[in-house]
Amino acid sequence: MSSDDAGFKAALEEAKQGAKEGGIPIGACLVNKDGKILGRGHNMRLQKNSATLHAEISTLENAGRLPASAYQGATMYTTLSPCNMCTGACILYKVSRVVMGENKTLVGGEDFLAQRGIEVVNLKNAECEGLMKKFISEHPDDWYEDIGEPPKGR
């Protein structure tokens, strides 16, 4: 697993698209065991005024309704460590691996994924971290809302 994987490149493209749209720059991509992209998406909470459209959820939605067998051996690439909601979705659909761009900004449900037998890979990608740090410094209230926490210092 590396930053050169097609799935990760697609997730990073999605994160950049989200940033261009004025949203939270997190992207994701679901790739099946044969390397075929099943779906990709980015965080759309701000753009769609949504409570739940995180990047991984957007990706699953864009993949459409699939049989359970489609997820066997699949990898969810995401530019940020998945939150509890997105961790739960990966567990529900029994993806085999979660590859994240970084977890310095947020440490999500990585331990829970591993406890459930899902391989977790952290690419420690500086570009992903930079996108998030920039967004958080410019839009802290939107960030804390996205992760379900009150803004720091309030």
Side-chain angles (χ1 to χ4, degrees):
M1 302 285 101
S2 78
S3 296
D4 292 328
D5 291 358
F8 180 74
K9 287 180 178 180
L12 186 53
E13 287 170 9
E14 289 289 336
K16 291 176 183 177
Q17 180 61 36
K20 285 181 193 172
E21 295 171 1
I24 301 168
I26 305 169
C29 181
L30 181 66
V31 177
N32 76 4
K33 65 183 175 194
D34 298 320
K36 178 184 176 205
I37 291 177
L38 299 175
R40 53 190 280 175
H42 54 274
N43 185 304
M44 297 285 290
R45 288 192 71 248
L46 300 177
Q47 299 93 313
K48 300 253 184 182
N49 198 30
S50 169
T52 59
L53 273 179
H54 282 191
E56 298 87 343
I57 303 303
S58 177
T59 295
L60 291 166
E61 184 67 21
N62 291 334
R65 184 176 168 189
L66 298 171
S69 61
Y71 301 101
Q72 292 175 350
T75 299
M76 177 67 80
Y77 289 89
T78 180
T79 58
L80 181 65
S81 179
C83 74
N84 290 332
M85 175 177 66
C86 297
T87 291
C90 289
I91 292 168
L92 175 70
Y93 290 107
K94 297 176 180 66
V95 300
S96 295
R97 179 182 308 110
V98 172
V99 176
M100 71 188 89
E102 63 103 354
N103 70 351
K104 284 188 178 178
T105 306
L106 173 80
V107 175
E110 300 165 34
D111 289 342
F112 192 50
L113 288 165
Q115 288 169 3
R116 300 298 295 255
I118 296 172
E119 180 184 359
V120 178
V121 177
N122 182 357
L123 298 177
K124 301 177 184 175
N125 183 278
E127 189 171 9
C128 292
E129 185 180 342
L131 283 168
M132 288 306 303
K133 283 184 174 181
K134 180 178 189 298
F135 181 83
I136 293 167
S137 71
E138 294 174 359
H139 307 280
D141 289 350
D142 290 331
W143 169 244
Y144 289 108
E145 177 188 307
D146 190 66
I147 60 172
E149 293 183 13
K152 298 291 182 207
R154 294 186 193 170

